[in-house]
Amino acid sequence: MKKHIPNTITCCNLISGCIATYFAFVGIYYLALLFIVIGAVFDFFDGMVARLLHVSSPIGKELDSLADDITFGFAPSAIIFSYLSSFHIHAPFVPFLAFVMAAFSALRLAKFNLDERQALGFIGLPTPANALFWGSLIVGLYQYEVSFEGLEWIILIGTFLSCYLLIAEIPMFALKFKHWGWKDNEIKYVFLLSCIPLLLFLDIIGLAAIIAWYVILSVATTKK
């Protein structure tokens, strides 16, 4: 019985992503973001539970990647698609370009499964971080009714930039601690402390700012 528990949690992640996608298509962005966050919680616990119960399996690994691409690839793509569709763009195919992100997310997840360098860190932007960035950004733009000439093209360019970051050979730190001391954890502590004012002063867009800051800090501190 216990061998099915991790996969059940993973399926809850997948279902959360499906629900997030529905709310994205109907334009209720804050609920789409909420279910992406719920999916991220399930994603955090499925691997942990599998290790605790000693029931890790190849099928669980494959199922996890499938669920992650729905929740952290397809759902944020649907949010961007829905938001771009609200603009009066002369080329009707443009919003559909958002779904390129779902394909690059799948590629990122496949690379992660095969790359043995990512035990203590990441190579490229993790898909959950990318999904949280776009979900919170679109919620913020919609909530505060931000609008100006060319915004839709900036979002589209940002989408392609995200696609690049997902598969880029850029080392990015993970919030994993071998110990709680300052030495060797300087970047992690600086990042965590700087997240507080971003959330306090920028509200929901602060989450997008945190992800952007994470990327900048990772690139700036990469050892050549």
Side-chain angles (χ1 to χ4, degrees):
M1 179 65 184
K2 69 178 184 179
K3 68 179 181 180
H4 298 298
I5 296 176
N7 289 346
T8 300
I9 297 174
T10 301
C11 287
C12 289
N13 172 16
L14 190 152
I15 293 169
S16 297
C18 293
I19 297 172
T21 302
Y22 165 76
F23 283 120
F25 282 136
V26 297
I28 309 178
Y29 303 122
Y30 75 95
L31 285 180
L33 174 60
L34 174 61
F35 276 94
I36 287 175
V37 172
I38 292 172
V41 173
F42 284 125
D43 183 53
F44 176 80
F45 282 107
D46 61 1
M48 178 187 295
V49 170
R51 288 187 294 271
L52 288 174
L53 298 178
H54 304 290
V55 290
S56 298
S57 65
I59 191 172
K61 189 175 183 180
E62 298 301 324
L63 181 62
D64 184 65
S65 293
L66 175 60
D68 285 355
D69 193 39
I70 296 296
T71 304
F72 309 127
F74 187 53
S77 296
I79 292 174
I80 299 170
F81 167 82
S82 180
Y83 188 67
L84 287 176
S85 297
S86 68
F87 289 87
H88 298 292
I89 303 174
H90 295 298
F93 68 87
V94 168
F96 288 93
L97 294 174
F99 293 112
V100 172
M101 182 184 292
F104 274 83
S105 296
L107 182 57
R108 165 75 176 87
L109 291 162
K111 287 183 63 178
F112 180 80
N113 286 344
L114 299 174
D115 196 336
E116 297 179 354
R117 299 172 297 168
Q118 302 190 54
L120 297 176
F122 302 107
I123 306 295
L125 181 64
T127 53
N130 184 61
L132 291 174
F133 172 83
W134 283 106
S136 58
L137 179 64
I138 299 301
V139 167
L141 293 174
Y142 184 78
Q143 177 178 311
Y144 293 107
E145 299 181 350
V146 177
S147 181
F148 54 85
E149 188 71 27
L151 175 60
E152 64 273 31
W153 301 110
I154 293 175
I155 292 172
L156 193 60
I157 292 170
T159 299
F160 287 120
L161 177 59
S162 287
C163 290
Y164 165 73
L165 290 173
L166 285 166
I167 62 169
E169 289 289 308
I170 301 175
M172 298 191 182
F173 64 89
L175 293 175
K176 297 178 181 179
F177 293 83
K178 290 184 177 179
H179 59 84
W180 299 106
W182 175 261
K183 185 174 175 56
D184 299 324
N185 291 321
E186 300 94 331
I187 298 171
K188 299 170 188 175
Y189 281 127
V190 167
F191 173 72
L192 289 172
L193 290 172
S194 61
C195 288
I196 298 172
L198 290 174
L199 285 174
L200 289 176
F201 292 107
L202 296 179
D203 195 35
I204 189 65
I205 295 182
L207 184 55
I210 285 172
I211 304 301
W213 171 231
Y214 166 74
V215 173
I216 293 169
L217 193 58
S218 294
V219 172
T221 56
T222 296
K223 295 180 180 179
K224 304 297 184 182

